[in-house]
Amino acid sequence: HTDRRTMSSQTIMRVSSRQSTSASFKSRQARKCAPRSATIRAVAPATTPADLIKSERPMKIVFVSAECAPWSKTGGLGDVVGSLPVELAKRGHQVMTISPRYDQYKGAWDTSVHVDALGKSVGFFHEKKQGVDRVFVDHPLFLAKVWGKTGSKLYGEKSGSDFADNQERFAMFCHAAIKAPTALVDLGYGEDVVFVANDWHSSLVPVILNKVYRPAGMYTAAKCAMTIHNIAFQGRFMPTPMSTYGLPESAGDDFFFEDGYNKVYDENTPAKEDGKEEFDGKIYRKVNWLKAGFMNSDKNLTVSENYAKEISSSKAKGVELDDVLVKAGGIEGIVNGMDPTEWNPAKDKFIDVPYDKTTVVEGKAAAKQALQAEVGLPLDPTAPIFGYIGRLEEQKGCDIMMQAIPKLLKTVPNAQVVILGTGKKSMEKSLAALDAAEPMCAGVVKFSAPLAHFITA
Protein backbone atom coordinates (compact mmCIF):
# COMPACT_ATOMS: atom_id res chain seq x y z
CA HIS A 1 0.00 0.00 0.00
CA THR A 2 2.97 2.34 -0.22
CA ASP A 3 1.48 4.02 -3.28
CA ARG A 4 -1.58 5.13 -1.33
CA ARG A 5 0.45 6.63 1.48
CA THR A 6 3.00 8.51 -0.62
CA MET A 7 0.95 9.46 -3.69
CA SER A 8 1.75 13.07 -4.48
CA SER A 9 -0.62 15.75 -5.59
CA GLN A 10 -0.61 15.40 -9.39
CA THR A 11 2.74 17.07 -10.01
CA ILE A 12 5.13 15.55 -7.45
CA MET A 13 5.64 11.83 -7.75
CA ARG A 14 8.58 11.02 -5.56
CA VAL A 15 8.74 10.25 -1.87
CA SER A 16 10.66 12.42 0.52
CA SER A 17 13.42 10.47 2.21
CA ARG A 18 14.72 13.31 4.29
CA GLN A 19 15.46 12.49 7.91
CA SER A 20 14.89 14.93 10.71
CA THR A 21 18.13 16.16 12.19
CA SER A 22 18.95 18.64 14.89
CA ALA A 23 19.82 21.99 13.41
CA SER A 24 23.47 22.90 13.70
CA PHE A 25 24.78 26.42 13.75
CA LYS A 26 28.12 27.58 12.40
CA SER A 27 30.68 28.77 14.92
CA ARG A 28 30.92 32.50 15.10
CA GLN A 29 34.15 33.86 13.63
CA ALA A 30 34.67 36.33 16.43
CA ARG A 31 34.50 33.68 19.16
CA LYS A 32 36.41 30.59 20.05
CA CYS A 33 34.42 28.02 21.95
CA ALA A 34 35.30 24.71 23.44
CA PRO A 35 33.61 21.66 21.86
CA ARG A 36 30.57 20.21 23.55
CA SER A 37 31.67 17.78 26.19
CA ALA A 38 30.57 14.19 26.03
CA THR A 39 27.59 13.45 28.23
CA ILE A 40 25.87 10.31 29.42
CA ARG A 41 22.17 10.19 28.63
CA ALA A 42 20.28 9.80 31.85
CA VAL A 43 17.20 7.62 32.08
CA ALA A 44 14.30 9.49 33.59
CA PRO A 45 11.73 7.65 35.69
CA ALA A 46 8.31 7.16 34.14
CA THR A 47 5.49 9.34 35.40
CA THR A 48 1.82 8.50 35.65
CA PRO A 49 -0.59 11.27 34.52
CA ALA A 50 -3.57 12.13 36.70
CA ASP A 51 -6.85 10.58 35.70
CA LEU A 52 -8.76 12.79 33.29
CA ILE A 53 -12.40 13.67 33.80
CA LYS A 54 -14.46 12.64 30.79
CA SER A 55 -16.82 15.24 29.36
CA GLU A 56 -20.51 14.79 30.19
CA ARG A 57 -21.36 16.31 26.80
CA PRO A 58 -18.90 14.86 24.28
CA MET A 59 -18.79 16.79 21.02
CA LYS A 60 -17.52 16.28 17.50
CA ILE A 61 -14.89 19.01 17.09
CA VAL A 62 -13.19 19.95 13.82
CA PHE A 63 -10.09 22.17 13.97
CA VAL A 64 -9.30 23.96 10.72
CA SER A 65 -5.80 25.38 10.54
CA ALA A 66 -3.03 26.21 8.07
CA GLU A 67 -0.57 24.56 10.48
CA CYS A 68 -0.56 21.43 12.58
CA ALA A 69 2.58 20.26 14.40
CA PRO A 70 4.58 18.16 13.87
CA TRP A 71 3.50 18.01 10.23
CA SER A 72 3.58 21.77 9.62
CA LYS A 73 4.57 24.58 11.94
CA THR A 74 5.92 28.11 11.89
CA GLY A 75 5.03 29.00 15.46
CA GLY A 76 2.45 28.74 18.22
CA LEU A 77 -0.49 28.05 15.90
CA GLY A 78 0.99 24.73 14.82
CA ASP A 79 1.79 23.78 18.42
CA VAL A 80 -1.77 24.40 19.62
CA VAL A 81 -3.48 22.53 16.78
CA GLY A 82 -1.03 19.67 17.22
CA SER A 83 -1.49 19.19 20.96
CA LEU A 84 -4.87 20.59 22.11
CA PRO A 85 -6.96 18.12 20.04
CA VAL A 86 -5.12 15.22 21.73
CA GLU A 87 -6.15 16.49 25.16
CA LEU A 88 -9.75 16.98 24.02
CA ALA A 89 -9.85 13.43 22.64
CA LYS A 90 -8.63 12.12 26.02
CA ARG A 91 -11.66 13.79 27.58
CA GLY A 92 -14.09 11.88 25.39
CA HIS A 93 -14.59 14.22 22.44
CA GLN A 94 -14.34 13.04 18.83
CA VAL A 95 -11.74 15.32 17.27
CA MET A 96 -10.54 15.99 13.74
CA THR A 97 -7.90 18.44 12.52
CA ILE A 98 -7.80 19.63 8.92
CA SER A 99 -4.68 21.24 7.47
CA PRO A 100 -2.99 21.42 4.06
CA ARG A 101 -0.80 18.58 2.86
CA TYR A 102 2.41 20.51 2.25
CA ASP A 103 4.64 17.45 2.10
CA GLN A 104 4.77 13.65 1.96
CA TYR A 105 3.62 12.84 5.50
CA LYS A 106 4.62 9.38 6.66
CA GLY A 107 1.59 7.61 8.09
CA ALA A 108 -1.03 9.66 6.24
CA TRP A 109 -2.91 7.57 3.68
CA ASP A 110 -4.87 8.61 0.63
CA THR A 111 -8.58 8.18 1.41
CA SER A 112 -9.45 8.16 -2.33
CA VAL A 113 -12.17 10.69 -1.47
CA HIS A 114 -12.27 13.81 -3.64
CA VAL A 115 -14.51 16.87 -3.46
CA ASP A 116 -14.95 19.98 -5.55
CA ALA A 117 -13.60 23.13 -3.90
CA LEU A 118 -14.04 26.28 -5.97
CA GLY A 119 -13.87 24.26 -9.18
CA LYS A 120 -10.80 22.30 -8.12
CA SER A 121 -10.67 18.57 -7.39
CA VAL A 122 -9.29 18.24 -3.88
CA GLY A 123 -8.33 15.02 -2.13
CA PHE A 124 -7.96 14.02 1.51
CA PHE A 125 -5.20 12.08 3.26
CA HIS A 126 -5.85 10.71 6.76
CA GLU A 127 -3.98 9.43 9.79
CA LYS A 128 -5.43 8.46 13.16
CA LYS A 129 -2.89 9.33 15.82
CA GLN A 130 -3.26 9.63 19.60
CA GLY A 131 -7.02 9.42 19.26
CA VAL A 132 -7.28 12.31 16.77
CA ASP A 133 -8.27 12.13 13.10
CA ARG A 134 -5.57 14.06 11.23
CA VAL A 135 -6.90 15.06 7.81
CA PHE A 136 -4.74 16.71 5.15
CA VAL A 137 -6.14 18.58 2.14
CA ASP A 138 -4.28 17.46 -0.97
CA HIS A 139 -3.84 19.77 -3.97
CA PRO A 140 -0.84 21.06 -5.99
CA LEU A 141 -1.42 24.59 -4.68
CA PHE A 142 -0.07 23.26 -1.38
CA LEU A 143 2.11 20.22 -2.09
CA ALA A 144 3.82 21.31 -5.31
CA LYS A 145 4.35 24.83 -4.00
CA VAL A 146 5.85 24.09 -0.60
CA TRP A 147 7.12 20.49 -0.84
CA GLY A 148 10.62 20.16 0.56
CA LYS A 149 10.66 23.58 2.21
CA THR A 150 10.54 24.26 5.93
CA GLY A 151 8.73 26.29 8.57
CA SER A 152 8.30 29.86 7.44
CA LYS A 153 7.93 28.93 3.76
CA LEU A 154 4.27 27.94 4.12
CA TYR A 155 2.94 31.38 3.25
CA GLY A 156 5.75 32.91 1.21
CA GLU A 157 9.45 32.73 0.42
CA LYS A 158 10.20 35.29 3.11
CA SER A 159 8.52 37.69 5.53
CA GLY A 160 6.80 40.57 3.74
CA SER A 161 6.62 38.65 0.47
CA ASP A 162 3.67 36.26 0.65
CA PHE A 163 2.72 33.97 -2.19
CA ALA A 164 0.56 35.97 -4.60
CA ASP A 165 -2.04 33.19 -4.79
CA ASN A 166 -2.60 32.82 -1.03
CA GLN A 167 -6.21 33.97 -1.49
CA GLU A 168 -6.82 31.19 -3.96
CA ARG A 169 -4.99 28.59 -1.89
CA PHE A 170 -6.75 29.23 1.39
CA ALA A 171 -10.20 29.94 -0.05
CA MET A 172 -10.02 26.50 -1.66
CA PHE A 173 -8.75 25.07 1.63
CA CYS A 174 -11.69 26.51 3.61
CA HIS A 175 -14.27 25.06 1.20
CA ALA A 176 -12.57 21.67 1.28
CA ALA A 177 -12.38 21.74 5.09
CA ILE A 178 -16.12 22.33 5.44
CA LYS A 179 -16.86 19.38 3.16
CA ALA A 180 -14.51 16.98 4.96
CA PRO A 181 -16.78 15.98 7.91
CA THR A 182 -19.54 14.82 5.55
CA ALA A 183 -17.38 13.56 2.69
CA LEU A 184 -15.23 11.32 4.90
CA VAL A 185 -18.19 9.15 5.85
CA ASP A 186 -16.15 6.36 7.45
CA LEU A 187 -14.80 8.73 10.11
CA GLY A 188 -18.32 9.27 11.50
CA TYR A 189 -18.62 13.05 11.91
CA GLY A 190 -21.46 14.35 9.74
CA GLU A 191 -22.98 17.82 10.02
CA ASP A 192 -23.47 18.06 13.80
CA VAL A 193 -19.99 19.38 14.55
CA VAL A 194 -18.22 22.33 16.13
CA PHE A 195 -15.71 23.95 13.78
CA VAL A 196 -12.73 25.77 15.29
CA ALA A 197 -11.22 28.08 12.67
CA ASN A 198 -7.72 29.39 13.40
CA ASP A 199 -6.31 32.71 12.18
CA TRP A 200 -7.02 34.40 8.86
CA HIS A 201 -6.13 31.41 6.68
CA SER A 202 -9.29 29.58 7.82
CA SER A 203 -11.45 32.60 8.63
CA LEU A 204 -13.64 31.99 5.57
CA VAL A 205 -15.03 28.88 7.31
CA PRO A 206 -17.58 30.74 9.49
CA VAL A 207 -18.47 32.99 6.54
CA ILE A 208 -19.12 30.09 4.16
CA LEU A 209 -21.16 28.29 6.80
CA ASN A 210 -23.26 31.38 7.47
CA LYS A 211 -23.70 32.63 3.91
CA VAL A 212 -23.81 29.41 1.86
CA TYR A 213 -24.55 26.28 3.87
CA ARG A 214 -27.07 27.39 6.48
CA PRO A 215 -29.32 29.18 3.96
CA ALA A 216 -29.32 25.92 1.98
CA GLY A 217 -30.43 23.95 5.03
CA MET A 218 -27.02 22.32 5.64
CA TYR A 219 -24.90 22.38 8.80
CA THR A 220 -27.84 24.05 10.56
CA ALA A 221 -26.88 22.56 13.95
CA ALA A 222 -23.16 23.18 13.50
CA LYS A 223 -21.32 25.93 15.36
CA CYS A 224 -18.09 27.71 14.55
CA ALA A 225 -15.56 29.41 16.81
CA MET A 226 -13.05 31.87 15.34
CA THR A 227 -9.73 31.68 17.16
CA ILE A 228 -6.83 34.10 16.68
CA HIS A 229 -3.24 33.68 17.79
CA ASN A 230 -1.94 37.05 16.50
CA ILE A 231 -4.37 39.75 15.40
CA ALA A 232 -1.68 41.50 13.34
CA PHE A 233 -2.15 38.90 10.59
CA GLN A 234 -5.58 39.53 9.10
CA GLY A 235 -5.61 38.46 5.47
CA ARG A 236 -5.93 41.90 3.91
CA PHE A 237 -6.20 41.88 0.12
CA MET A 238 -7.14 44.26 -2.64
CA PRO A 239 -10.91 44.33 -3.44
CA THR A 240 -11.97 40.93 -4.69
CA PRO A 241 -15.34 39.75 -6.10
CA MET A 242 -17.11 37.57 -3.56
CA SER A 243 -17.65 34.94 -6.28
CA THR A 244 -13.88 34.33 -6.13
CA TYR A 245 -14.46 33.00 -2.61
CA GLY A 246 -17.58 31.06 -3.54
CA LEU A 247 -19.74 33.58 -1.67
CA PRO A 248 -22.76 35.72 -2.62
CA GLU A 249 -21.92 39.34 -3.38
CA SER A 250 -24.03 40.34 -0.37
CA ALA A 251 -21.24 39.01 1.84
CA GLY A 252 -19.00 41.87 0.69
CA ASP A 253 -20.04 44.20 3.51
CA ASP A 254 -18.51 41.88 6.09
CA PHE A 255 -15.15 42.02 4.29
CA PHE A 256 -15.14 45.79 3.69
CA PHE A 257 -12.04 47.44 5.09
CA GLU A 258 -9.92 50.53 4.56
CA ASP A 259 -6.33 51.34 5.45
CA GLY A 260 -3.48 53.58 4.39
CA TYR A 261 -1.49 51.01 2.41
CA ASN A 262 -1.53 51.21 -1.39
CA LYS A 263 -0.47 47.57 -1.77
CA VAL A 264 -0.49 44.17 -0.13
CA TYR A 265 2.82 42.60 0.76
CA ASP A 266 3.18 39.66 -1.60
CA GLU A 267 5.83 38.47 -4.02
CA ASN A 268 4.60 40.93 -6.66
CA THR A 269 4.69 43.95 -4.35
CA PRO A 270 6.95 42.94 -1.44
CA ALA A 271 7.70 44.97 1.65
CA LYS A 272 10.87 47.03 1.51
CA GLU A 273 13.95 45.38 2.96
CA ASP A 274 14.54 48.25 5.39
CA GLY A 275 10.94 48.15 6.60
CA LYS A 276 10.38 51.81 5.72
CA GLU A 277 7.22 52.08 3.66
CA GLU A 278 6.08 55.30 2.02
CA PHE A 279 2.58 56.59 2.69
CA ASP A 280 0.77 59.10 0.52
CA GLY A 281 -1.94 59.98 3.04
CA LYS A 282 -4.70 58.35 0.99
CA ILE A 283 -7.14 55.68 2.09
CA TYR A 284 -7.34 52.42 0.15
CA ARG A 285 -10.13 49.90 0.11
CA LYS A 286 -9.35 46.25 0.95
CA VAL A 287 -11.06 43.02 1.85
CA ASN A 288 -10.25 41.72 5.32
CA TRP A 289 -10.71 37.99 5.89
CA LEU A 290 -10.31 38.09 9.66
CA LYS A 291 -12.91 40.83 10.00
CA ALA A 292 -15.41 38.72 8.06
CA GLY A 293 -14.57 35.71 10.23
CA PHE A 294 -15.26 37.66 13.40
CA MET A 295 -18.58 38.93 12.03
CA ASN A 296 -19.86 35.47 11.11
CA SER A 297 -18.58 33.18 13.87
CA ASP A 298 -20.66 31.94 16.78
CA LYS A 299 -17.85 32.67 19.24
CA ASN A 300 -14.57 34.59 19.02
CA LEU A 301 -11.62 33.29 21.02
CA THR A 302 -7.96 34.15 21.59
CA VAL A 303 -4.94 32.91 23.52
CA SER A 304 -5.37 34.63 26.90
CA GLU A 305 -7.69 36.88 28.90
CA ASN A 306 -5.14 39.70 28.88
CA TYR A 307 -4.73 39.52 25.10
CA ALA A 308 -8.51 39.57 24.66
CA LYS A 309 -8.71 42.78 26.70
CA GLU A 310 -5.69 44.31 24.98
CA ILE A 311 -6.86 43.86 21.38
CA SER A 312 -10.30 45.22 22.24
CA SER A 313 -8.95 48.35 23.92
CA SER A 314 -7.66 50.49 21.04
CA LYS A 315 -7.07 50.64 17.30
CA ALA A 316 -3.32 50.31 17.79
CA LYS A 317 -3.51 47.21 19.97
CA GLY A 318 -6.39 45.69 18.00
CA VAL A 319 -4.66 46.55 14.71
CA GLU A 320 -7.81 48.40 13.59
CA LEU A 321 -10.20 45.55 14.44
CA ASP A 322 -11.07 46.61 18.00
CA ASP A 323 -14.44 48.06 16.98
CA VAL A 324 -15.20 44.97 14.92
CA LEU A 325 -14.65 42.74 17.95
CA VAL A 326 -17.02 44.84 20.03
CA LYS A 327 -19.64 44.81 17.27
CA ALA A 328 -19.28 41.03 16.90
CA GLY A 329 -20.06 40.50 20.59
CA GLY A 330 -16.56 40.55 22.03
CA ILE A 331 -13.80 37.98 22.29
CA GLU A 332 -12.97 35.53 25.07
CA GLY A 333 -9.44 34.64 26.14
CA ILE A 334 -8.46 31.07 27.01
CA VAL A 335 -4.84 30.62 28.07
CA ASN A 336 -2.72 28.47 25.79
CA GLY A 337 -1.16 25.43 27.39
CA MET A 338 2.10 23.60 26.77
CA ASP A 339 2.20 20.06 25.42
CA PRO A 340 3.35 18.01 28.44
CA THR A 341 4.76 15.32 26.15
CA GLU A 342 6.81 17.40 23.73
CA TRP A 343 8.07 19.80 26.41
CA ASN A 344 8.75 17.26 29.15
CA PRO A 345 12.48 17.57 30.06
CA ALA A 346 12.45 13.99 31.33
CA LYS A 347 11.75 12.71 27.81
CA ASP A 348 12.90 15.55 25.51
CA LYS A 349 14.62 14.04 22.46
CA PHE A 350 16.61 17.20 21.76
CA ILE A 351 18.49 17.64 25.04
CA ASP A 352 21.54 15.59 26.03
CA VAL A 353 20.68 15.01 29.68
CA PRO A 354 16.96 14.57 30.40
CA TYR A 355 15.96 15.63 33.89
CA ASP A 356 13.03 15.66 36.29
CA LYS A 357 12.35 17.40 39.61
CA THR A 358 14.96 15.28 41.39
CA THR A 359 17.75 16.04 38.90
CA VAL A 360 16.76 19.51 37.72
CA VAL A 361 19.96 21.23 38.91
CA GLU A 362 22.29 18.88 37.06
CA GLY A 363 20.00 18.67 34.04
CA LYS A 364 19.61 22.41 33.55
CA ALA A 365 23.37 22.89 33.95
CA ALA A 366 23.97 20.39 31.15
CA ALA A 367 21.30 22.02 28.98
CA LYS A 368 22.90 25.41 29.56
CA GLN A 369 26.30 24.17 28.44
CA ALA A 370 24.79 22.54 25.36
CA LEU A 371 22.97 25.76 24.43
CA GLN A 372 26.10 27.88 24.84
CA ALA A 373 28.09 25.54 22.59
CA GLU A 374 25.32 25.27 20.01
CA VAL A 375 25.08 29.03 19.42
CA GLY A 376 28.74 29.85 19.91
CA LEU A 377 28.70 31.51 23.32
CA PRO A 378 31.47 30.99 25.93
CA LEU A 379 30.96 27.90 28.08
CA ASP A 380 30.46 29.72 31.36
CA PRO A 381 28.39 27.88 34.00
CA THR A 382 28.11 31.08 36.09
CA ALA A 383 26.69 33.25 33.29
CA PRO A 384 23.01 34.18 33.59
CA ILE A 385 21.31 33.42 30.25
CA PHE A 386 18.33 35.37 28.93
CA GLY A 387 16.37 33.67 26.15
CA TYR A 388 13.64 34.74 23.72
CA ILE A 389 11.74 32.49 21.30
CA GLY A 390 9.12 34.07 19.06
CA ARG A 391 8.27 36.31 16.15
CA LEU A 392 10.32 39.45 15.67
CA GLU A 393 7.54 42.06 15.76
CA GLU A 394 6.92 45.37 17.54
CA GLN A 395 3.75 43.86 18.95
CA LYS A 396 5.93 41.40 20.88
CA GLY A 397 8.13 44.23 22.19
CA CYS A 398 11.17 43.01 20.27
CA ASP A 399 12.26 46.53 19.34
CA ILE A 400 12.34 47.50 23.03
CA MET A 401 14.12 44.26 23.95
CA MET A 402 16.87 44.69 21.36
CA GLN A 403 17.46 48.30 22.39
CA ALA A 404 17.84 47.20 26.03
CA ILE A 405 20.26 44.32 25.45
CA PRO A 406 23.49 46.39 25.08
CA LYS A 407 22.71 48.14 28.38
CA LEU A 408 21.99 44.78 30.03
CA LEU A 409 25.29 43.30 28.84
CA LYS A 410 27.17 46.38 30.00
CA THR A 411 25.54 46.27 33.42
CA VAL A 412 26.03 42.50 33.84
CA PRO A 413 29.31 41.74 32.00
CA ASN A 414 29.04 37.95 32.13
CA ALA A 415 25.36 37.81 31.09
CA GLN A 416 24.46 36.04 27.85
CA VAL A 417 21.45 36.49 25.56
CA VAL A 418 20.00 34.06 23.00
CA ILE A 419 17.26 35.23 20.64
CA LEU A 420 15.56 32.83 18.22
CA GLY A 421 12.96 33.96 15.70
CA THR A 422 11.93 35.35 12.35
CA GLY A 423 9.61 38.20 11.46
CA LYS A 424 9.79 41.65 9.95
CA LYS A 425 12.77 42.05 7.66
CA SER A 426 13.86 45.23 9.45
CA MET A 427 13.83 43.41 12.78
CA GLU A 428 15.73 40.46 11.37
CA LYS A 429 18.42 42.91 10.20
CA SER A 430 18.47 44.57 13.62
CA LEU A 431 18.97 41.19 15.29
CA ALA A 432 21.77 40.29 12.88
CA ALA A 433 23.48 43.62 13.64
CA LEU A 434 23.08 43.03 17.39
CA ASP A 435 24.55 39.56 16.99
CA ALA A 436 27.59 40.99 15.20
CA ALA A 437 28.10 43.86 17.64
CA GLU A 438 27.65 42.00 20.94
CA PRO A 439 29.90 38.94 21.53
CA MET A 440 27.67 37.83 24.41
CA CYS A 441 24.47 37.92 22.35
CA ALA A 442 23.53 35.17 19.90
CA GLY A 443 20.82 36.14 17.43
CA VAL A 444 19.52 33.25 15.32
CA VAL A 445 17.22 34.35 12.50
CA LYS A 446 15.56 31.09 11.56
CA PHE A 447 13.01 28.56 12.73
CA SER A 448 14.60 25.74 14.74
CA ALA A 449 12.70 23.31 16.94
CA PRO A 450 15.92 21.83 18.47
CA LEU A 451 17.22 25.25 19.49
CA ALA A 452 13.84 26.23 20.92
CA HIS A 453 14.06 23.14 23.14
CA PHE A 454 17.63 23.99 24.18
CA ILE A 455 16.60 27.49 25.22
CA THR A 456 13.56 26.28 27.14
CA ALA A 457 15.49 23.48 28.91
Side-chain angles (χ1 to χ4, degrees):
H1 299 286
T2 303
D3 59 323
R4 291 187 62 223
R5 186 179 67 249
T6 62
M7 185 184 301
S8 65
S9 168
Q10 299 179 35
T11 59
I12 293 180
M13 302 301 294
R14 58 191 190 278
V15 179
S16 169
S17 61
R18 297 181 307 282
Q19 296 179 346
S20 297
T21 58
S22 295
S24 61
F25 301 93
K26 294 182 179 179
S27 297
R28 311 152 80 78
Q29 295 179 353
R31 305 171 197 161
K32 292 183 180 179
C33 305
R36 287 173 63 169
S37 59
T39 55
I40 299 175
R41 183 169 289 276
V43 178
T47 57
T48 303
D51 291 333
L52 297 172
I53 300 175
K54 296 289 185 178
S55 173
E56 296 180 357
R57 298 176 57 192
M59 297 180 287
K60 296 178 179 180
I61 306 172
V62 180
F63 285 80
V64 185
S65 172
E67 302 177 26
C68 181
W71 298 273
S72 55
K73 170 184 169 181
T74 67
L77 170 61
D79 281 329
V80 171
V81 180
S83 57
L84 178 58
V86 175
E87 298 304 313
L88 291 172
K90 290 178 182 177
R91 287 157 175 78
H93 301 289
Q94 185 176 352
V95 190
M96 174 194 295
T97 65
I98 306 174
S99 58
R101 183 174 180 255
Y102 298 109
D103 214 325
Q104 303 278 9
Y105 300 139
K106 182 180 179 181
W109 293 75
D110 188 352
T111 64
S112 298
V113 175
H114 287 75
V115 298
D116 178 87
L118 293 179
K120 300 176 178 64
S121 179
V122 175
F124 298 108
F125 277 60
H126 171 256
E127 176 179 5
K128 185 72 173 263
K129 193 170 184 178
Q130 292 182 282
V132 178
D133 290 299
R134 304 294 188 176
V135 174
F136 304 98
V137 173
D138 182 51
H139 190 274
L141 283 177
F142 292 116
L143 184 60
K145 200 175 193 75
V146 181
W147 185 79
K149 300 177 184 177
T150 58
S152 60
K153 307 297 184 184
L154 302 183
Y155 312 116
E157 291 288 349
K158 58 183 179 180
S159 179
S161 182
D162 288 350
F163 293 129
D165 61 354
N166 273 351
Q167 280 195 95
E168 180 184 6
R169 298 168 75 216
F170 290 109
M172 175 195 70
F173 170 65
C174 289
H175 277 274
I178 292 175
K179 291 186 176 183
T182 55
L184 299 172
V185 178
D186 292 345
L187 299 186
Y189 284 80
E191 294 188 9
D192 189 7
V193 298
V194 176
F195 287 98
V196 182
N198 291 269
D199 287 348
W200 76 263
H201 327 92
S202 54
S203 60
L204 290 191
V205 169
V207 187
I208 297 168
L209 284 171
N210 210 29
K211 304 295 186 182
V212 178
Y213 280 87
R214 287 168 179 162
M218 301 167 66
Y219 280 114
T220 55
K223 299 294 183 182
C224 185
M226 183 73 239
T227 304
I228 57 161
H229 303 259
N230 188 336
I231 201 169
F233 299 97
Q234 301 178 359
R236 298 186 190 184
F237 301 99
M238 289 301 181
T240 304
M242 291 295 103
S243 58
T244 304
Y245 303 147
L247 293 168
E249 289 303 320
S250 58
D253 289 345
D254 291 345
F255 288 84
F256 179 83
F257 193 77
E258 293 178 326
D259 63 24
Y261 299 90
N262 61 2
K263 64 179 182 180
V264 295
Y265 299 115
D266 62 22
E267 54 197 343
N268 295 328
T269 54
K272 291 186 177 181
E273 292 289 325
D274 60 6
K276 297 178 181 178
E277 298 293 334
E278 297 177 359
F279 298 96
D280 57 16
K282 297 180 180 178
I283 298 298
Y284 295 90
R285 182 174 176 179
K286 303 279 178 28
V287 295
N288 188 314
W289 282 33
L290 190 57
K291 178 197 172 191
F294 285 149
M295 297 297 293
N296 286 273
S297 68
D298 296 292
K299 185 78 173 180
N300 293 317
L301 303 170
T302 191
V303 296
S304 74
E305 292 182 8
N306 285 339
Y307 192 52
K309 293 176 182 177
E310 179 182 319
I311 62 179
S312 302
S313 65
S314 69
K315 287 190 179 299
K317 293 181 178 179
V319 195
E320 301 175 85
L321 287 183
D322 54 314
D323 290 342
V324 173
L325 286 171
V326 173
K327 184 178 179 181
I331 186 166
E332 182 177 345
I334 301 176
V335 177
N336 267 350
M338 179 176 281
D339 187 339
T341 301
E342 180 179 359
W343 298 97
N344 180 358
K347 300 179 180 180
D348 196 315
K349 64 182 179 181
F350 292 114
I351 62 177
D352 293 319
V353 182
Y355 60 86
D356 59 19
K357 62 183 180 181
T358 65
T359 57
V360 64
V361 175
E362 298 87 347
K364 291 187 79 69
K368 181 177 183 178
Q369 177 179 313
L371 173 61
Q372 290 170 329
E374 195 76 13
V375 298
L377 291 171
L379 303 184
D380 181 358
T382 67
I385 293 185
F386 298 83
Y388 172 83
I389 308 167
R391 285 195 62 81
L392 303 177
E393 303 275 355
E394 289 91 349
Q395 193 180 38
K396 302 284 189 180
C398 292
D399 52 337
I400 300 171
M401 174 181 68
M402 284 191 273
Q403 289 174 7
I405 286 172
K407 183 178 180 180
L408 166 67
L409 296 177
K410 185 177 180 180
T411 305
V412 187
N414 73 325
Q416 298 178 355
V417 178
V418 182
I419 300 175
L420 172 66
T422 60
K424 283 190 175 180
K425 185 57 61 178
S426 59
M427 289 235 172
E428 291 182 352
K429 286 189 172 183
S430 296
L431 180 56
L434 185 64
D435 174 89
E438 297 288 347
M440 303 298 275
C441 175
V444 183
V445 183
K446 67 184 296 181
F447 173 80
S448 170
L451 187 54
H453 280 251
F454 282 168
I455 296 171
T456 303

